[in-house]
Amino acid sequence: MKIISEQQVHASLNFDKVIDALRVGFSKPAGTPTRQVFELSDSEENHDAFAVLPAWNEDVIGVKSFTYFPSNAEHGYKSLYSKIMLFDRLHGEPLALVDGTSVTLWRTAAVSALASQYLSRQDSAHLVYFGSGNLSRYMIEAHMSVRDIKKVTIIARNTDKSESLRTLLAEKYSDVEFLLGESNQATISSADIISCGTGAHNPLFDGNWLSDGVHIDLIGNHHRQFRECDSVSVVRSKVFVDSRKNVLNEAGELLIPIAEGVFSEEQIIAELSEMHQLKTVRAKTDITLFKSVGTALSDLLTAYLVYKTQL
């Protein structure tokens, strides 16, 4: 059995490869039981969690396990630790133990980029990104890999981290304008794509500010009582998800509007495994919204891509 490190994962991947693997993998039959997320404390102030995500397809069986301790940085630890076990589908033989933290960075960003390929306008040029954490660079680069982005506005509370992120990206992409901004009507209304990867408990922008044709990508929240966008944004949008059962079990972005009676789960148009067969054509004025909480299949496909690259 191979042990595959974080460094080997990063050396094995680029967004073209990962997005293509996800596009193909999500279009084929797969076993994807509801992911299990266990809150480790009853306290409203403590959100430590442990999760288990199993999946399988015709080639491989996998299970990702991860811990999420959001206050770990105060004690010198990472907030998330993760490993993915892969087994041969034919005989069940263990194949590899893959670093799951690095896989999660790549697959999360690639899922959003794949959804953007399906849902955002092809002429999208201005990306507004909320967040400055470890995932931010991956998210921005993934979106840039599928659309000809000319301007990126980064909005984040941590000015030092957001400035470091802006500098890093500006040095790598000299033909793209990178700015630090604020969540206001002028910025939000000028966006073609809005991507949110934060730990915010409350909506990051007013849904009335959205312009026709914008695509909204929400990946930061995994709690029923919190949300990165308001109900107005949901009501104005054509809504898509990575996984109906996971999103409707975890995501306040949709659960809160459902509880308010302004949205229903039947209004979700498709999940990621169905998007390759969508027959509808995007109208230029459509507002689209993609909510992702993570799927075991995306972990499986990305980890297996790494494994095959490392053979």
Side-chain angles (χ1 to χ4, degrees):
M1 185 179 75
K2 294 183 69 68
I3 307 296
I4 300 176
S5 68
E6 174 184 0
Q7 292 74 22
Q8 289 172 302
V9 170
H10 289 307
S12 301
L13 300 178
N14 62 57
F15 280 118
D16 287 343
K17 289 169 58 176
V18 181
I19 293 168
D20 186 61
L22 294 179
R23 181 187 300 105
V24 173
F26 271 91
S27 70
K28 294 182 177 181
T32 56
T34 303
R35 73 187 214 154
Q36 299 295 308
V37 181
F38 304 98
E39 298 283 348
L40 300 179
S41 172
D42 295 328
S43 169
E44 292 186 1
E45 304 301 319
N46 186 310
H47 300 292
D48 294 350
F50 172 64
V52 181
L53 293 78
W56 58 88
N57 60 16
E58 61 184 8
D59 299 312
V60 66
I61 305 164
V63 59
K64 182 172 91 168
S65 299
F66 72 83
T67 55
Y68 175 62
F69 287 59
S71 61
N72 260 0
E74 301 170 12
H75 310 285
Y77 293 89
K78 297 179 181 178
S79 61
L80 190 146
Y81 292 95
S82 175
K83 296 295 179 184
I84 301 170
M85 276 289 299
L86 296 178
F87 304 83
D88 172 66
R89 178 65 180 86
L90 186 61
H91 300 293
E93 177 189 12
L95 298 176
L97 178 67
V98 185
D99 177 71
T101 305
S102 51
V103 166
T104 300
L105 293 170
W106 283 94
R107 66 82 161 152
T108 302
V111 163
S112 285
L114 176 58
S116 181
Q117 276 191 325
Y118 288 128
L119 302 174
S120 69
R121 298 192 332 270
Q122 291 188 9
D123 63 351
S124 295
H126 181 200
L127 168 67
V128 172
Y129 183 77
F130 283 86
S132 61
N134 294 334
L135 186 57
S136 300
R137 177 172 66 87
Y138 294 87
M139 293 296 299
I140 292 170
E141 292 196 59
H143 278 290
M144 291 173 60
S145 75
V146 297
R147 292 291 182 251
D148 188 17
I149 301 296
K150 300 298 186 184
K151 177 181 176 182
V152 177
T153 301
I154 300 167
I155 302 174
R157 292 182 300 176
N158 190 315
T159 54
D160 290 340
K161 289 172 68 175
S162 55
E163 176 56 34
S164 296
L165 175 63
R166 189 202 67 79
T167 301
L168 175 69
L169 291 167
E171 290 176 351
K172 185 172 181 180
Y173 301 96
S174 58
D175 58 338
V176 178
E177 181 182 14
F178 294 93
L179 304 171
L180 301 185
E182 296 180 357
S183 182
N184 54 38
Q185 185 169 2
T187 299
I188 299 303
S189 65
S190 68
D192 299 310
I193 299 172
I194 300 171
S195 181
C196 304
T198 74
H201 290 186
N202 299 302
L204 297 165
F205 54 87
D206 186 333
N208 293 298
W209 296 343
L210 298 169
S211 293
D212 289 346
V214 68
H215 172 62
I216 307 163
D217 171 49
L218 305 169
I219 59 99
N221 173 56
H222 297 256
H223 298 282
R224 301 172 65 91
Q225 70 273 32
F226 303 142
R227 52 181 175 170
E228 291 186 297
C229 79
D230 59 14
S231 297
V232 174
S233 299
V234 175
V235 171
R236 294 186 65 192
S237 299
K238 293 187 173 181
V239 176
F240 302 79
V241 297
D242 62 342
S243 162
R244 283 186 179 87
K245 56 190 174 185
N246 288 344
V247 167
L248 292 172
N249 189 50
E250 298 179 33
E253 284 83 2
L254 299 190
L255 292 173
I256 293 173
I258 289 172
E260 293 171 343
V262 298
F263 184 77
S264 68
E265 61 181 86
E266 290 75 24
Q267 291 175 263
I268 297 172
I269 295 173
E271 61 183 13
L272 195 55
S273 63
E274 300 164 336
M275 290 189 194
H276 68 284
Q277 55 192 7
L278 287 176
K279 302 299 182 183
T280 57
V281 177
R282 187 196 206 287
K284 190 172 183 179
T285 57
D286 284 344
I287 297 174
T288 53
L289 184 152
F290 178 69
K291 173 58 188 174
S292 173
V293 296
T295 67
L297 182 57
S298 59
D299 292 307
L300 180 81
L301 295 168
T302 308
Y304 190 49
L305 175 61
V306 172
Y307 170 74
K308 291 186 293 183
T309 304
Q310 289 292 317
L311 287 177

